Amino acid sequence: MHDIRHWRDFLHYFQSASYTQKFLRRCYRSMPGSDVKSYDNCYPFMYYLEQGEIYYKQAEDSPLSIKPILLFYGFIHFIKAVVLTTDPNYPETTTVLAHGITSRKRKKQQYRFLHDEVKIQKNGLFTHFSSLHFDLKHLEGEKYKMEDLLDQIPEMADSFSVLMKKTTMFPFTEGRLSIEENLLNHFHWTPDSFRQHHSSLPEGIHWEGQDTLSTTLRNEALPFRWNRQEGKLALPAIKNEASSLPEVLIHYAILYNLSMIARYETEWWMELLKNRTTEDYPFILAFITLTTEKGPSLLGELLENKMKQEGE
């Protein structure tokens, strides 16, 4: 099967109930009752994808004020489809129907989006998805600041550089990252300490000589991030609480918070969109523009990998 290059590329495969059931049967082949489960889940899987696409199409044609709500619900519908490939009993209990993440009460005075936080709950879709697909089982109670989450998205590096004079990424150029003086000064490392810190590298990244990291990867390999817009791997310049989160979970957390703001903090939200008095607006706009394509693409890649694993 050819690599999926656009997130809508994977949808047409699942417009056939016959194909979808065969695909799910392969996903469940090591589980008892795979025939029955694949039959039962065939249409829910197809409907999750269909509903998710509808939300994204509506978001593309909608004003910014309601985009976060539509994007978030489109995103979680795609996640539910991905979850169903691994958990044939989803949703087995009502606990997994919650979002799995909460946002704190907002202060009306001098509230800043970049300083806001979300907190991971014990149960819910975020937690279930994180455990199933990334083996992250101990996220309950973790808090993530919006700025820290955005720091870890490579396409946001220009926004941080221009608006805050902050370096957040060191990009690979033509598959190589030279360990130069500006990089070493940023981390306060010597060449030896940098190599020692990166002695254990993800598969697909290796040392080329003494001072160059080299790769042919075209996907995220933590702690390295994939810049989809530029087709480059990047080394985050900042290590924070979000450094260990796969980017798809970062999009989930930010979209959740923005959707809650758009729904329940209407006065602050509309004033932000109209007055644009802080850097919050350009950061939010840049993220919304990015996630409209990259969010579902990240989930499409998970589904594509599943199709490859199951011999599709």
Side-chain angles (χ1 to χ4, degrees):
M1 190 184 77
H2 297 294
D3 289 346
I4 293 170
R5 296 305 177 200
H6 188 277
W7 65 267
R8 287 196 174 95
D9 290 346
F10 71 85
L11 296 182
H12 73 274
Y13 294 120
F14 301 106
Q15 293 176 2
S16 160
S18 174
Y19 172 82
T20 300
Q21 187 179 352
K22 290 176 184 176
F23 167 65
L24 291 176
R25 189 186 299 122
R26 289 189 178 94
C27 293
Y28 303 156
R29 60 188 167 192
S30 62
M31 308 174 192
S34 59
D35 287 344
V36 174
K37 286 297 182 183
S38 63
Y39 177 82
D40 290 344
N41 290 336
C42 173
Y43 283 102
F45 179 86
M46 294 169 67
Y47 294 156
Y48 285 144
L49 293 180
E50 181 180 358
Q51 190 79 337
E53 184 180 20
I54 291 171
Y55 274 116
Y56 273 96
K57 284 182 176 178
Q58 289 298 310
E60 290 169 0
D61 297 328
S62 297
L64 180 59
S65 60
I66 62 172
K67 273 184 189 290
I69 303 169
L70 297 169
L71 292 173
F72 177 67
Y73 280 106
F75 193 74
I76 63 174
H77 275 80
F78 284 155
I79 284 182
K80 289 176 182 179
V82 175
V83 165
L84 208 54
T85 65
T86 304
D87 179 5
N89 299 312
Y90 177 82
E92 189 169 14
T93 66
T94 56
T95 58
V96 297
L97 294 176
H99 294 314
I101 190 168
T102 59
S103 53
R104 65 186 181 184
K105 286 187 176 180
R106 298 180 220 293
K107 296 178 180 179
K108 296 295 183 182
Q109 297 296 322
Q110 300 177 335
Y111 166 76
R112 290 292 308 277
F113 174 75
L114 290 178
H115 300 161
D116 199 8
E117 291 180 338
V118 292
K119 182 178 179 180
I120 309 304
Q121 294 181 302
K122 180 179 181 180
N123 298 308
L125 183 59
F126 183 97
T127 315
H128 192 52
F129 176 57
S130 303
S131 176
L132 274 179
H133 288 274
F134 303 107
D135 200 31
L136 296 174
K137 302 182 185 298
H138 305 290
L139 295 179
E140 179 189 356
E142 292 291 335
K143 295 180 180 180
Y144 300 100
K145 192 168 76 170
M146 293 297 104
E147 184 175 342
D148 291 344
L149 292 167
L150 290 166
D151 278 342
Q152 296 298 317
I153 299 178
E155 291 87 348
M156 296 296 299
D158 286 347
S159 294
F160 279 106
S161 177
V162 172
L163 296 169
M164 299 177 69
K165 309 302 179 187
K166 179 180 179 182
T167 299
T168 61
M169 291 286 158
F170 289 101
F172 282 61
T173 301
E174 296 181 353
R176 291 174 175 81
L177 178 65
S178 297
I179 313 308
E180 298 176 345
E181 186 176 356
N182 65 327
L183 187 152
L184 294 171
N185 289 340
H186 176 86
F187 289 108
H188 305 291
W189 283 336
T190 65
D192 286 341
S193 62
F194 186 93
R195 283 192 294 271
Q196 183 177 1
H197 189 83
H198 292 89
S199 59
S200 178
L201 293 168
E203 186 176 352
I205 302 176
H206 62 273
W207 282 102
E208 187 178 279
Q210 291 292 307
D211 60 356
T212 304
L213 287 174
S214 183
T215 185
T216 57
L217 285 177
R218 295 185 58 83
N219 57 272
E220 182 178 70
L222 293 177
F224 300 88
R225 303 286 185 177
W226 178 250
N227 186 322
R228 192 178 182 90
Q229 289 178 348
E230 297 184 2
K232 293 179 180 178
L233 203 67
L235 173 66
I238 297 170
K239 185 176 177 60
N240 57 39
E241 286 80 359
S243 296
S244 61
L245 287 183
E247 191 178 336
V248 67
L249 297 179
I250 291 174
H251 284 249
Y252 189 122
I254 299 172
L255 277 175
Y256 167 80
N257 201 22
L258 283 172
S259 73
M260 293 295 285
I261 292 170
R263 279 181 285 174
Y264 301 116
E265 296 292 333
T266 308
E267 182 180 356
W268 182 88
W269 179 239
M270 296 308 295
E271 286 183 357
L272 172 75
L273 299 185
K274 293 180 184 300
N275 299 328
R276 309 176 187 182
T277 54
T278 70
E279 290 86 358
D280 283 345
Y281 177 82
F283 272 105
I284 290 171
L285 179 61
F287 172 75
I288 290 294
T289 303
L290 170 68
T291 195
T292 301
E293 283 297 328
K294 192 174 186 182
S297 294
L298 293 170
L299 293 168
E301 288 166 4
L302 289 179
L303 188 55
E304 179 193 11
N305 290 337
K306 194 74 175 180
M307 293 164 74
K308 289 178 177 178
Q309 291 169 12
E310 303 309 327
E312 293 292 328

